Amino acid sequence: MTEKQNLIWKKLVYLLTGVFCFVSFSVQAQKSEVQGVILDNREPVPFANVYLEGTTLGTSSDEEGIYVLKNIPEGKYKLKVTVLGYNDFSKSISIGANEKLNIPIKLTATSEQLEEMVVTGTLKAVSRSESPVPVEVYSPTFLKKNPTASIFEALQNVNGVRPQINCNVCNTGDIHINGLEGPYTLVLIDGMPIVSGLGTVYGLSGIPNSLIEQIEIVKGPASSLYGSEAVGGLINIITKNSLEAPDFAADAFLTGWGEYNLDLGGKINIGKKTDLLLGVNYFNYDEIIDNNGDNFTDLTLQDRISVFQKWSFQRKENRIFSLAGRFFYEDRWGGELQWTPEFRGGDEIYGESIYTRRWEVLGKYQLPVKEKLLLSFSYNDHAQNSVYGNVPYLADQRIGFTQLTWDKKVGKHDVLVGSALRYNYYDDNTTATVSADEVVIPSLFVQDEISLAKKHSLLVGVRYDYDTRHGNIFTPRTAYRWKMTDNDILRLNAGTGFRVVNLFTEDHAALTGARDVIVTEALEPERSFNVNLNYLKKIYGDNGTFATIDASVFYTNFSNAILPDYDTNPNQIIYDNLNGTSISQGISANIDAVFPSGFKFSLGATLQDVRQTENGVSRRQILTESYTGTWNFGYNFRNLKLSVDYTGNLYGPMRLPTLGENDPRSDFSPVWSIQNIQFTYKGLDNFEFYGGIKNLLDWTPNRGNPFIIARADDPFDKNVTFDSNGDVVATADNPNALTFDPSYVYGPNQGIRGFFGLRYRIN
């Protein structure tokens, strides 16, 4: 290890020793107290007010529903619990000297209390069980089970969703949903499609967890509501409103590799009718580590900052008006260990250096009329200055979006009518972009959710887009929901999607300089047809146990699919419209359970088949696993104020981009798994201390392979011999006839490492 790494580990040991000493001392020093967990028969109730009537003794439950009242004098009291949306709880108790009482509390919801609300599937706020479109919801508590520096990394424990690193050197990546490539996933912030193409991975970084209300994920095409890019699914990051946000929250952690992450968030009241949410995220990693011995950085060095703010304005009749903005800047580089900025763009020492500047603005304004008319708008500007070896890539992308929706209920019909206008601008310095691509796409859409009977509803909708490059585009969809019982829901969804492609905003492998990029034709929009059958089961136990089973069968068929061809010529990436079919199909299931004892678990599994068929030949899609598994086991030791979370994932073999028959690297990945454990101590008011180990198995993708990066010792191919046809000639120095290629990547190069962090929150 370097001296800096040794210093980091020493600090980590001192911090952990101090925490455990504090735990031991506090356990011994405690006096009479009352503790327990607050449940609503489904899950923990966070931030409930707990107090002893007639005294000044009070507290609130944490995000796990756990409460602790300390330093209680001997006597008789009335324990009271109040929280918005639930009936008040009251219980007479008697406590002796130095006595500890464990009193679990079950609350009953008021008639106004709804289960988790979702908006992504229909553009309307409805309870999750009432939505005709299956929506998966993940709270900030889920993100804390395995703390990461970005939502991009946190999604590794969501079933059917996989963060894919696309470049061994620069470590940029995208999100795969049900085995589909990252460009098929649309990322939203508060329902606004401000993240696409060039900015996908950056849209999942830099928003403090303390300001995130929930993350909603829809699997399958959503183009009928959101337009292009929403072909395979979408991820909607919903930020808190001012009533739910903490007054101040801080979260900082470091790892044994030298990664530092800081999240700050809070709210400010400006006058009586204006609230401001402010968040800052800073991440830094500047250690040069090469554990696999190829003279290339195992992890890209990064220095980034993101500033987020959201203004909310109170208006008459509770009409909506909010305005948010975010600024993001990042400097990252990876490459040969000897690389320094003066080698940027040259051909002496290989490095990939990316400067990214991005800003975004988005807002919602409900018109001051009797009808429910909502105007939404967003704009983002993304500038990227990067070099891949001696290949420069300078790009600008701007996306403007505005949308007006009218929401109206008439009898058994719940109608949503909308009009949208999207502005796309893209320009780069590559040969594939002869001139700037600038287009305005107007859209109209309508959907009607019909209440057929007490337990049956049907949603039908259609969207019309006009693209001057491709003409008229229609995307219909339908969704049927059958609420068989209060605890059993069956949903059937079918719809179409479309996507207009810009290659270089999506595939960093095309920019490494290792392969020539060949575009054989004018690329037409991709289209898809999807069917999804979903079953949701809720199980309530007599002892307070609550569980859900969520299972789906999915099928998506693509026409005009555009996928990179790494196989025809190992020195090229060939792009064209697939003259055949591309299919993604499979089954997926999640099981979640919460027990009064403090034990909870989540299990997920997906079996999938993603392949393309052209000219009678069928082939599995590259970098797509055949099965995945995810899990999270957690237990709260309430007497110790300590919780333990064990999280992990498992990925089946996936086909990898090798350089032909002579490449000694494996054509398929092995079965691999990343597992983590975390301990969280909550014994100090407003503070949480957490620490643990990531990648317990110390797994890295170089296992079983002679190397990961082909010809890492000759990244500019100066010693590679080519024949007259451009094919590589085998030589004594290059017996396998390879060229430099860092695109062989399917998992992170970081091995086992410890981490330690601290959270502070004022409500």
Side-chain angles (χ1 to χ4, degrees):
M1 290 189 190
T2 64
E3 293 185 6
K4 186 172 182 179
Q5 286 178 295
N6 283 324
L7 181 60
I8 291 170
W9 276 109
K10 288 180 180 178
K11 290 180 178 179
L12 185 61
V13 171
Y14 294 153
L15 285 169
L16 289 173
T17 302
V19 169
F20 287 125
C21 289
F22 174 78
V23 171
S24 300
F25 174 78
S26 61
V27 169
Q28 295 173 2
Q30 288 171 349
K31 297 181 180 179
S32 297
E33 65 179 44
V34 177
Q35 64 182 15
V37 61
I38 303 175
L39 301 170
D40 70 348
N41 285 329
R42 303 176 305 159
E43 56 186 21
V45 178
F47 313 126
N49 298 309
V50 184
Y51 60 96
L52 300 179
E53 190 175 48
T55 74
T56 60
L57 297 174
T59 186
S60 62
S61 59
D62 63 17
E63 291 184 346
E64 303 293 336
I66 298 172
Y67 73 93
V68 180
L69 279 170
K70 300 180 179 179
N71 300 320
I72 303 174
E74 181 180 0
K76 296 182 178 180
Y77 301 94
K78 181 166 287 187
L79 178 67
K80 301 274 290 186
V81 179
T82 62
V83 62
L84 183 65
Y86 294 89
N87 295 312
D88 293 348
F89 173 89
S90 179
K91 180 181 177 68
S92 297
I93 63 172
S94 178
I95 190 168
N98 297 316
E99 186 178 4
K100 294 182 181 180
L101 298 180
N102 185 11
I103 303 178
I105 295 171
K106 293 182 181 180
L107 298 182
T108 57
T110 62
S111 58
E112 294 84 11
Q113 170 66 12
L114 299 174
E115 61 177 313
E116 25 187 34
M117 303 295 289
V118 296
V119 298
T120 306
T122 61
L123 283 180
K124 297 183 179 186
V126 297
S127 66
R128 185 183 176 194
S129 63
E130 296 300 317
S131 172
V133 178
V135 180
E136 296 183 15
V137 181
Y138 298 91
S139 68
T141 301
F142 171 83
L143 303 178
K144 291 180 180 180
K145 304 299 182 184
N146 177 34
T148 60
S150 70
I151 299 174
F152 174 80
E153 298 175 64
L155 293 176
Q156 65 184 279
N157 289 323
V158 176
N159 182 30
V161 177
R162 182 170 69 85
Q164 167 64 42
I165 297 174
N166 291 329
C167 176
N168 254 316
V169 181
C170 64
N171 291 160
T172 52
D174 52 31
I175 299 295
H176 291 198
I177 294 181
N178 285 347
L180 297 177
E181 294 282 346
Y184 296 97
T185 300
L186 181 64
V187 179
L188 313 169
I189 297 179
D190 286 336
M192 289 292 96
I194 63 172
V195 182
S196 61
L198 196 62
T200 296
V201 67
Y202 303 102
L204 292 168
S205 301
I207 300 178
N209 287 345
S210 60
L211 298 185
I212 295 176
E213 173 65 21
Q214 61 191 38
I215 299 173
E216 298 180 6
I217 298 177
V218 175
K219 299 172 182 177
S223 294
S224 59
L225 281 183
Y226 295 97
S228 182
E229 280 96 30
V231 180
L234 56 88
I235 299 170
N236 191 2
I237 303 168
I238 299 175
T239 58
K240 292 182 181 293
N241 61 45
S242 56
L243 294 176
E244 298 165 329
D247 292 327
F248 176 76
D251 187 346
F253 73 82
L254 59 87
T255 75
W257 270 50
E259 300 162 281
Y260 300 88
N261 186 76
L262 174 65
D263 275 350
L264 298 175
K267 65 180 178 182
I268 303 171
N269 296 321
I270 302 175
K272 295 182 179 180
K273 296 185 177 181
T274 305
D275 297 305
L276 170 64
L277 295 186
L278 181 63
V280 178
N281 169 258
Y282 177 71
F283 176 79
N284 178 267
Y285 171 71
D286 61 2
E287 289 292 310
I288 298 177
I289 296 177
D290 177 27
N291 287 339
N292 59 20
D294 59 5
N295 196 45
F296 272 72
T297 53
D298 288 346
L299 180 65
T300 303
L301 282 71
Q302 303 170 53
D303 190 27
R304 71 168 179 256
I305 187 168
S306 175
V307 180
F308 174 84
Q309 58 178 308
K310 179 179 179 180
W311 297 76
S312 298
F313 305 92
Q314 294 182 24
R315 301 173 60 211
K316 292 181 179 179
E317 300 181 10
N318 293 320
R319 291 192 178 100
I320 299 170
F321 182 25
S322 65
L323 186 66
R326 184 170 73 120
F327 175 78
F328 178 97
Y329 178 79
E330 182 183 69
D331 175 6
R332 69 163 60 201
W333 77 267
E336 293 187 271
L337 307 185
Q338 300 80 11
W339 190 91
T340 55
E342 60 261 28
F343 293 107
R344 192 175 195 266
D347 63 356
E348 293 183 62
I349 305 295
Y350 188 91
E352 297 186 2
S353 169
I354 304 174
Y355 302 141
T356 301
R357 177 196 54 77
R358 178 181 177 88
W359 61 271
E360 308 158 350
V361 62
L362 62 152
K364 295 182 179 181
Y365 179 77
Q366 187 176 347
L367 273 59
V369 295
K370 183 179 179 180
E371 297 294 335
K372 191 173 181 181
L373 292 169
L374 182 64
L375 177 68
S376 305
F377 53 90
S378 66
Y379 183 82
N380 72 78
D381 186 296
H382 186 112
Q384 186 163 314
N385 179 331
S386 50
V387 292
Y388 299 82
N390 58 355
V391 178
Y393 175 59
L394 309 175
D396 288 292
Q397 185 177 42
R398 301 163 202 156
I399 299 176
F401 182 85
T402 183
Q403 176 177 275
L404 179 65
T405 58
W406 175 46
D407 187 357
K408 183 72 172 179
K409 289 186 177 181
V410 182
K412 294 184 177 181
H413 298 266
D414 192 348
V415 181
L416 181 74
V417 179
S419 176
L421 191 69
R422 179 171 177 141
Y423 167 76
N424 282 359
Y425 173 89
Y426 176 77
D427 192 21
D428 65 28
N429 65 317
T430 67
T431 56
T433 307
V434 178
S435 60
D437 181 16
E438 189 171 17
V439 63
V440 176
I441 304 174
S443 308
L444 295 171
F445 58 90
V446 60
Q447 72 175 22
D448 182 11
E449 186 175 353
I450 309 166
S451 179
L452 301 176
K454 185 177 180 180
K455 297 182 178 181
H456 301 268
S457 64
L458 176 69
L459 182 145
V460 291
V462 65
R463 181 185 181 102
Y464 165 75
D465 294 82
Y466 178 73
D467 189 323
T468 55
R469 300 165 297 181
H470 307 292
N472 302 315
I473 302 174
F474 290 91
T475 47
R477 74 161 174 171
T478 185
Y480 168 71
R481 182 180 66 92
W482 177 21
K483 194 171 184 179
M484 297 179 286
T485 70
D486 288 341
N487 300 323
D488 297 88
I489 301 172
L490 188 69
R491 298 179 176 97
L492 177 63
N493 280 241
T496 63
F498 77 97
R499 185 174 72 99
V500 178
V501 178
N502 188 299
L503 297 180
F504 293 93
T505 66
E506 300 158 357
D507 197 339
H508 281 272
L511 298 167
T512 61
R515 300 186 185 219
D516 293 327
V517 177
I518 306 297
V519 181
T520 63
E521 60 186 355
L523 301 177
E524 294 296 321
E526 295 184 325
R527 292 182 175 273
S528 68
F529 171 74
N530 170 270
V531 177
N532 182 302
L533 180 64
N534 173 262
Y535 172 67
L536 178 66
K537 172 71 175 179
K538 300 179 182 179
I539 302 171
Y540 297 90
D542 293 336
N543 63 348
T545 300
F546 173 70
T548 61
I549 300 174
D550 191 342
S552 294
V553 179
F554 59 89
Y555 172 86
T556 305
N557 186 303
F558 291 91
S559 59
N560 286 341
I562 301 171
L563 297 169
D565 176 4
Y566 291 85
D567 303 307
T568 300
N569 187 326
N571 298 313
Q572 297 177 341
I573 304 177
I574 301 173
Y575 293 93
D576 61 5
N577 285 111
L578 183 70
N579 183 21
T581 60
S582 176
I583 291 175
S584 169
Q585 57 190 347
I587 58 175
S588 178
N590 294 295
I591 300 175
D592 300 272
V594 180
F595 299 87
S597 64
F599 176 66
K600 62 175 64 176
F601 72 84
S602 298
L603 294 173
T606 298
L607 297 174
Q608 62 191 16
D609 177 27
V610 184
R611 62 180 59 245
Q612 294 83 44
T613 302
E614 188 171 24
N615 299 324
V617 178
S618 183
R619 176 175 291 179
R620 277 180 56 183
Q621 180 173 293
I622 209 164
L623 292 173
T624 303
E625 65 279 10
S626 55
Y627 58 85
T628 64
T630 58
W631 63 84
N632 175 17
F633 295 94
Y635 189 80
N636 289 322
F637 296 91
R638 291 171 185 148
N639 292 334
L640 299 177
K641 287 75 176 178
L642 183 71
S643 62
V644 181
D645 290 288
Y646 168 51
T647 60
N649 50 51
L650 178 74
Y651 299 112
M654 60 184 73
R655 194 166 67 89
L656 302 176
T658 56
L659 294 177
E661 295 180 356
N662 294 326
D663 193 331
R665 297 175 295 183
S666 174
D667 291 327
F668 285 85
S669 69
V671 177
W672 56 284
S673 174
I674 301 243
Q675 302 176 25
N676 320 283
I677 191 167
Q678 174 183 256
F679 301 88
T680 304
Y681 176 70
K682 303 178 182 179
L684 194 62
D685 289 345
N686 300 324
F687 283 92
E688 289 184 11
F689 299 91
Y690 61 92
I693 299 174
K694 291 180 179 287
N695 199 353
L696 284 164
L697 303 181
D698 196 23
W699 178 89
T700 51
N702 59 302
R703 288 189 178 184
N705 273 302
F707 51 82
I708 295 296
I709 299 177
R711 290 195 62 79
D713 59 339
D714 185 20
F716 296 100
D717 290 336
K718 293 182 178 180
N719 298 318
V720 176
T721 302
F722 298 89
D723 63 19
S724 58
N725 295 322
D727 297 325
V728 181
V729 177
T731 63
D733 178 62
N734 188 14
N736 298 113
L738 304 178
T739 56
F740 173 67
D741 178 32
S743 64
Y744 185 94
V745 57
Y746 57 95
N749 287 318
Q750 280 187 286
I752 189 170
R753 59 202 182 279
F755 66 95
F756 178 78
L758 167 69
R759 297 188 186 100
Y760 177 71
R761 179 183 177 114
I762 301 177
N763 292 314

